[in-house]
Amino acid sequence: MAKPATGQFGQWLRQWRRDNRYSLDQFAKLSGVSKVALFELEHGRTFNPRLATLMAISKATKVAFTRVAMLAALQKMQEGA
């Protein structure tokens, strides 16, 4: 069984992908973000996404960039706490 997503951004991204019935591979193709990068973001293994990555996720999910960036910033702040 897969480890649950950690952090607000990772949880949101994984839940969005599952709610919209995208496999990791399908979402990687849709967004142009590698499967490895998406997996690591969802599982909190590394968290320092590039602006281009956040923009690609925003475009693929059709979620406002400001929301995607806010979730990413909140997760980054939690890491520093």
Side-chain angles (χ1 to χ4, degrees):
M1 179 172 221
K3 176 183 165 189
T6 58
Q8 286 185 311
F9 184 80
Q11 289 174 2
W12 168 79
L13 181 57
R14 189 171 190 173
Q15 191 61 50
W16 185 94
R17 188 173 56 77
R18 287 182 167 182
D19 288 349
N20 289 278
R21 300 176 190 256
Y22 284 102
S23 68
L24 195 59
D25 187 55
Q26 290 169 324
F27 190 70
K29 289 175 184 170
L30 175 70
S31 66
V33 177
S34 75
K35 287 191 322 184
V36 171
L38 290 170
F39 180 87
E40 289 180 350
L41 287 170
E42 286 185 1
H43 291 83
R45 291 199 177 168
T46 59
F47 196 79
N48 195 17
R50 297 179 320 175
L51 180 60
T53 300
L54 295 177
M55 291 175 74
I57 291 170
S58 172
K59 184 176 179 183
T61 59
K62 296 183 177 140
V63 171
F65 175 75
T66 52
R67 172 130 172 88
V68 172
M70 180 191 69
L71 288 168
L74 286 171
Q75 182 163 328
K76 189 68 175 172
M77 287 173 35
Q78 288 174 345
E79 282 184 355

